Amino acid sequence: MGKLINIDNGGTLTDICVLDGSTVWRTKTLTTPFDLSRCFIDGLTKASKAIYGHEDLVALLASTDHIRYSTTQGTNALVERKGQRLGLLLTGSLSRESLRHAENAAGLFDALVGDRCVTLDLSQDAEALEMAAVRAINTLASSGAHRVVVAHGGADRLAQETRLKKIFLRKFPQHLLGAVPLLYSHEVVQDEDDVRRTWTALFNAFLHPAMERFLYNAEHKLRLAKTRNPLLIFRNDGHSARVAKTIALKTYSSGPRGGMEGSRALAQHYGFEHLVSIDIGGTTTDIGEVASGGVREERHGRVENVEVSFPLCNVVSVGVGGSSIIQCRDGRNIEVGPQSVGSAPGPAAFGLGGTQATITDAFVLTGLLDPATFFGGDLRLDVERARAAIAQNVAQPLGVSEELAAARMEAAWVDKVAQSIHAFTKVTPQTTLAAFGGAGPFVVCRIAEAAGIDRVLIPGLAAVFSAFGLGFSDIEHRYEAPLAGADDLPATLDELTRRARRGMHAEGFALEDCVVERRLAISGAGRDEELPLPETLPPIASGERLSLALNVRKPIAQPALQGRFGSASHAAVEAGRRRVVLADKSQELPLYRLEDQRAGTRAAGPAVLEEAFFTCRLDAGWQFEFNDAGDVLLSRSGRA
């Protein structure tokens, strides 16, 4: 078996994890937002140097079976409202008001569409309709729309949207249509719920351009470097597929879903009944949940809390991360995010031109982060730049010292994460908090205390854990069609099987080598459920609709987990002392480098835990145990 490469592209950093049997190499590189394919290739090249001792991208790719890739770029774009200006052409029963009045949708509609919405009357004669349709598109383009979504409300959506498509293809030259692309809701998803289907199409249109440019560019560069197999996109449903077989919306929150797949595997491995995960990167904190061995998921997922047509892992993305902008409002209140400085210019301490204050700057100023060892020693931090940013944006407006301002920044940052945990799930005595991402372990003890949690798991691969979690995915596709009744079942099943055979052949696999699951979906009249296809179709009430689906999965290699807790018998080895300022008071704390520890060691706080790509402050009243898998379990005194 060849190597497996997992890449998680975040707003600030891009993580790379290379697995070869039980051996794991990991590295990070700064995300290059102007050209995501650059950090993609840079990261792979950097990984090749870690493996071979010198850069050899071709050798790495030649020895690799699969490359799985995920990104938070779509999530970040929606959180920060940075992306395409959308236009919306509505017909039939759909209206601007029906879309704005969907649950949690008003503000998002105003941000993504706003006034760029036109309603078209289809009852006009053919000539009048053509004129009105052309006028509608011109109006949307003149108002600044980059892309236009066409959506019809009603059971005849396919016929009516196809009718409009023919008009636009006839009336507009192809090069003009390409300048302002038109997207039709029925081509994104077949969903009887008009509002939900339209929102799905809007989200897909918002995310598509950036994803398309980058992913095809990255795939092209991989081909030039002679990769063995196509790039696989890890999706937000927990599975992977080729670029050409993945729609843009399924890249939304795919990075966090990678963390959830890794969390699920760890929860099962260690027997944690209830695991809440916080994946804190540069721009967002992604909160998820594993209960009774399964990832929390919704049949109709939510994007920015608005329901869409696809099932999604229930992960909430909160605008707070290591690079979130922290500022003082009205001389009293500290505001954290949702805006982020990202990797360009980055936190002020990076020395790349940033002047805004972030929690990273606060931890540099207070000594938790060592300027010489941060980011594996590849990125030197500037304490004075951090101090200046905090002074200008927080300390001076509050009228306090920079150190006290940093303490208040930490309190506000912790409070936002803890409150988001409570808004997402119910904490119980059985809850374990899993902290990962570059910023996840920073002050996780304090986050856990604020959330009422007594046990914290920091995976050994915490800094690249979402990338690692991508490895717990197979190649899978879903093929679905409406089902009129039992008489149509054989023909519908045959058609779906033909589609599945063609689709998996495009992935490079025979259908006979795949696991095929037949599913029956029932919707309408207040019912929305899916179950394994029974031998006899169940009775259907008036207003209910049936659809048949084939879930086709090709298993590919996944990581193996090891390690246990509960047998620690060795004292941890100190690597020195670190002076840390806590609430305006300087303290000398023991420093434990995880690379120096052997399995079965433990120590109590206050202390600093550190490895190449993450730092954790172990507060008073907490202890840590380090096991043979490199995982770290933190627990409050008296709680094993």
Side-chain angles (χ1 to χ4, degrees), residues 362-384:
F363 292 146
V364 171
L365 178 64
T366 58
L368 177 60
L369 297 179
D370 182 356
T373 61
F374 182 77
F375 200 48
D378 289 344
L379 182 62
R380 300 283 297 190
L381 300 178
D382 190 321
V383 178
E384 292 311 311

Side-chain angles (χ1 to χ4, degrees), residues 111-377:
L112 270 58
V113 179
D115 295 329
R116 297 181 296 274
C117 181
V118 175
T119 299
L120 184 63
D121 180 7
L122 296 181
S123 65
Q124 306 171 73
D125 62 49
E127 184 177 351
L129 178 60
E130 285 196 358
M131 293 177 60
V134 170
R135 188 164 54 248
I137 295 300
N138 288 335
T139 297
L140 292 172
S142 299
S143 66
H146 295 149
R147 304 174 77 80
V148 175
V149 171
V150 180
H152 177 79
D156 57 342
R157 63 187 180 279
L158 174 60
Q160 296 297 356
E161 290 183 14
T162 302
R163 176 187 178 195
L164 287 173
K165 185 175 183 178
K166 291 178 179 177
I167 292 174
F168 294 136
L169 288 173
R170 185 168 62 252
K171 301 299 291 186
F172 288 99
Q174 191 62 42
H175 68 280
L176 292 181
L177 276 184
V180 183
L182 307 184
L183 299 99
Y184 301 86
S185 71
H186 77 274
E187 294 181 343
V188 177
V189 63
Q190 290 289 342
D191 185 350
E192 299 283 346
D193 188 307
D194 295 323
V195 170
R196 188 169 60 208
R197 185 185 69 256
T198 303
W199 267 111
T200 303
L202 284 169
F203 285 131
N204 195 65
F206 183 84
L207 298 174
H208 181 86
M211 294 298 99
E212 179 185 47
R213 286 193 301 271
F214 158 60
L215 291 175
Y216 281 107
N217 193 18
E219 191 172 52
H220 175 67
K221 289 184 177 181
L222 287 176
R223 281 198 298 267
L224 292 178
K226 305 195 185 311
T227 185
R228 290 169 56 182
N229 289 307
L231 175 65
L232 295 177
I233 305 306
F234 178 81
R235 306 184 313 234
N236 50 28
D237 57 10
H239 306 297
S240 297
R242 290 182 58 183
V243 175
K245 294 291 184 178
T246 301
I247 69 168
L249 180 55
K250 290 202 171 184
T251 69
Y252 173 83
S253 207
S254 63
R257 180 62 190 255
M260 291 312 304
E261 289 302 305
S263 296
R264 176 187 57 77
L266 283 181
Q268 293 178 343
H269 178 72
Y270 287 119
F272 294 144
E273 181 179 327
H274 183 221
L275 187 75
V276 175
S277 64
I278 51 171
D279 176 4
I280 309 183
T283 303
T284 61
T285 293
D286 302 308
I287 305 173
E289 180 177 31
V290 179
S292 303
V295 172
R296 180 166 153 182
E297 189 176 56
E298 294 178 337
R299 172 162 159 69
H300 296 295
R302 291 181 176 272
V303 173
E304 285 293 283
N305 217 20
V306 174
E307 190 175 67
V308 295
S309 303
F310 297 115
L312 292 177
C313 176
N314 193 346
V315 173
V316 61
S317 295
V318 184
V320 52
S323 298
S324 295
I325 295 171
I326 304 180
Q327 54 194 322
C328 179
R329 296 288 190 189
D330 306 322
R332 298 188 307 275
N333 300 314
I334 293 180
E335 182 179 279
V336 181
Q339 290 76 25
S340 169
V341 296
S343 61
F350 282 13
L352 301 176
T355 58
Q356 301 283 354
T358 70
I359 200 66
T360 300
D361 297 307
F363 292 146
V364 171
L365 178 64
T366 58
L368 177 60
L369 297 179
D370 182 356
T373 61
F374 182 77
F375 200 48

Side-chain angles (χ1 to χ4, degrees), residues 18-99:
V18 182
L19 299 92
D20 189 357
S22 61
T23 303
V24 180
W25 295 274
R26 69 219 166 105
T27 190
K28 289 175 174 281
T29 187
L30 287 173
T31 295
T32 49
F34 56 88
D35 181 4
L36 292 177
S37 65
R38 176 173 171 178
C39 60
F40 180 90
I41 297 297
D42 285 351
L44 288 173
T45 303
K46 190 175 180 180
S48 73
K49 185 176 181 179
I51 295 170
Y52 303 117
H54 60 279
E55 295 181 358
D56 195 338
L57 178 60
V58 172
L60 174 60
L61 296 179
S63 63
T64 296
D65 281 346
H66 299 289
I67 302 177
R68 297 174 174 99
Y69 172 85
S70 73
T71 179
T72 61
Q73 293 301 315
T75 307
N76 296 344
L78 281 168
V79 167
E80 299 184 84
R81 305 294 190 259
K82 294 179 180 178
Q84 296 287 296
R85 292 195 300 271
L86 301 180
L88 183 59
L89 176 60
L90 300 175
T91 60
S93 61
L94 278 169
S95 67
R96 183 176 187 274
E97 290 70 29
S98 64
L99 291 166

Side-chain angles (χ1 to χ4, degrees), residues 26 437-438 441 458-463 594 609-616 632:
R26 69 219 166 105
I458 302 178
L461 294 169
L594 296 181
L609 310 181
E610 191 169 78
E611 58 106 77
F613 293 112
F614 77 77
T615 301
C616 171
V632 182

